Amino acid sequence: MKNFVIFGATSAIAHAMARRLAAPEIRFCLIGRDAERLKINQQDLLARGAAEVFVFERDLTEKNEFPGLIDDIFRSLESVDSVLMAQGCLPDQAECEQNINAFNTSFDVNLMGVVNLLMLLVPKLRVQGHGHI
């Protein structure tokens, strides 16, 4: 059994990747902020043959929730073989160049959110002795 974790699982690229991987020996944890789209993606992956699909509705700008989320993922899957980081936002470039608040929001979501998740994930992958991001 292979266990895949996908952050930003409702993005088009994340779901396309999951659809290609769906098979009877694959389990998924899907993390995203849109509960309805997560449920649709979950049902699609199960229909394509995935063994199990766990969903976690989370806003990945809420860094204080990351430790509990990581614990939930490892409780559900027991181990993690692969992590896809597809979370993020696509801000207006011109606005980010002229508005520090827009820039900071983009920076926080697209860089710091990922870094903060990785700071929690990497030690767990090292302890289990396998897995990649």
Side-chain angles (χ1 to χ4, degrees):
M1 191 70 59
K2 295 284 185 187
N3 298 316
F4 287 85
V5 176
I6 303 177
F7 292 94
T10 59
S11 74
I13 196 162
H15 189 60
M17 178 67 140
R19 290 175 75 172
R20 291 184 60 94
L21 294 169
E25 68 279 0
I26 303 295
R27 298 187 317 163
F28 291 96
C29 266
L30 306 178
I31 301 98
R33 64 179 167 231
D34 185 330
E36 184 176 329
R37 286 182 61 199
L38 283 170
K39 186 72 168 166
I40 290 168
N41 291 358
Q42 177 187 41
Q43 294 304 314
D44 181 46
L45 295 175
L46 290 169
R48 291 172 183 280
E52 287 183 283
V53 182
F54 302 95
V55 296
F56 296 100
E57 179 189 355
R58 298 289 196 287
D59 182 340
L60 295 174
T61 63
E62 299 295 328
K63 293 181 199 77
N64 61 327
E65 294 184 18
F66 288 1
L69 173 59
I70 299 302
D71 288 343
D72 289 344
I73 290 167
F74 277 84
R75 250 191 309 278
S76 297
L77 296 176
E78 298 171 11
S79 70
V80 171
D81 296 296
S82 187
V83 178
L84 173 62
M85 304 298 284
Q87 74 178 67
C89 64
L90 299 171
D92 178 86
Q93 180 66 34
E95 183 180 4
C96 285
E97 291 172 4
Q98 298 176 11
N99 179 330
I100 192 67
N101 291 330
F103 170 82
N104 286 336
T105 297
S106 174
F107 187 84
D108 195 43
V109 171
N110 294 328
L111 178 65
M112 295 310 299
V114 172
V115 169
N116 283 282
L117 282 166
L118 292 175
M119 294 294 291
L120 297 169
L121 276 168
V122 169
K124 288 193 173 278
L125 295 178
R126 282 189 178 135
V127 167
Q128 73 179 14
H130 69 279
H132 64 272
I133 300 169

